[in-house]
Amino acid sequence: MQHINRVASRRAKVDHDKIPKQPSITVSYWNVGVLLHFSVILFVMESWFYWTKFRDAYMEEALFFIVFWFGCVLFAFTHIFLVIMDAWSRFQNYKRIKDNLYMHGFSPKLANPYTGSKCQRTAFLVAAKELGMEKEVLSYYKRIGIRWYHFIPKFMIQDPLFLFRKSFVSRTFLEKYYKPRFNFRDQDVNYKIAE
């Protein structure tokens, strides 16, 4: 019984009358995937750099360097699309998280599935911040030992063969579209459940 009371006392409720003004969808999308968006820019520049090296090697007909630089071009170019898909998936997480936070309030049970990677934590934190619960989430992360510099996802350390797991691909790149249940941006609607 005490355990239930402790969990209930940790649950932070949404103050429905004092929800901060909501940013546009574009701003939310940027905030959720800010690291991923910068990664896309980096991979575009990297692809261009590798392409110039490949082109020079091709002109000089140096077979080893042609193969090497072409492999680098493929690696960087492929990552552009993977990172875009990752950002899309984190935005779907964000919408689901925001609905759940609004309906149930913050609880460790709700936050725990999204503690594995920096991008998932960012999606959770952005959703919580938009509902005025940022302090509770940051406090929870601090309590369980997650710091701002924890970029490498836990599953990569725990399971070195993560690339070959179906769950990795589906959760990282192929998250299904989530239609939000609430229209948080229409302040006059008083957040009625969307139909």
Side-chain angles (χ1 to χ4, degrees):
M1 187 71 172
Q2 287 179 334
H3 180 265
I4 293 170
N5 290 339
R6 267 188 266 130
V7 171
S9 67
R10 283 190 217 146
R11 183 179 298 268
K13 293 288 183 185
V14 176
D15 188 350
H16 297 279
D17 297 326
K18 294 184 180 178
I19 292 178
K21 185 175 184 318
Q22 300 298 296
S24 69
I25 291 176
T26 308
V27 170
S28 293
Y29 186 77
W30 174 263
N31 290 338
V32 167
V34 68
L35 292 173
L36 297 167
H37 302 316
F38 281 117
S39 295
V40 168
I41 295 167
L42 185 67
F43 280 120
V44 167
M45 293 187 321
E46 198 175 311
S47 296
W48 176 80
F49 173 76
Y50 291 148
W51 175 256
T52 60
K53 292 294 188 180
F54 167 72
R55 187 188 61 213
D56 295 344
Y58 186 77
M59 295 296 191
E60 295 172 10
E61 297 181 4
L63 182 61
F64 173 78
F65 290 110
I66 290 172
V67 172
F68 176 77
W69 290 117
F70 186 69
C72 291
V73 169
L74 282 179
F75 176 82
F77 192 71
T78 303
H79 272 76
I80 293 170
F81 299 100
L82 292 176
V83 172
I84 290 170
M85 291 166 54
D86 194 1
W88 169 258
S89 292
R90 297 302 67 83
F91 190 64
Q92 302 316 306
N93 290 154
Y94 151 83
K95 293 186 293 184
R96 180 178 288 109
I97 292 164
K98 193 168 179 179
D99 279 353
N100 285 325
L101 284 172
Y102 183 74
M103 290 186 300
H104 308 292
F106 173 79
S107 72
K109 183 179 178 182
L110 181 61
N112 196 42
Y114 301 100
T115 58
S117 75
K118 177 73 172 176
C119 297
Q120 289 177 331
R121 290 191 302 271
T122 301
F124 198 94
L125 190 60
V126 169
K129 184 177 183 178
E130 289 181 6
L131 293 175
M133 293 190 218
E134 183 181 21
K135 289 179 183 176
E136 291 88 348
V137 175
L138 291 173
S139 173
Y140 172 69
Y141 287 161
K142 186 176 182 181
R143 192 168 57 244
I144 63 172
I146 293 175
R147 302 292 181 256
W148 67 269
Y149 51 83
H150 289 149
F151 287 95
I152 299 174
K154 290 178 185 177
F155 65 84
M156 288 183 176
I157 297 166
Q158 295 168 344
D159 183 13
L161 301 175
F162 68 91
L163 283 173
F164 305 104
R165 307 284 185 233
K166 183 181 176 186
S167 61
F168 167 71
V169 174
S170 63
R171 282 198 74 196
T172 307
F173 306 117
L174 302 173
E175 194 75 38
K176 291 180 182 173
Y177 174 78
Y178 179 81
K179 183 179 179 185
R181 295 179 67 186
F182 302 96
N183 182 1
F184 295 99
R185 287 162 184 84
D186 187 358
Q187 297 287 341
D188 298 330
V189 175
N190 199 18
Y191 309 109
K192 292 184 179 173
I193 294 179
E195 297 180 280

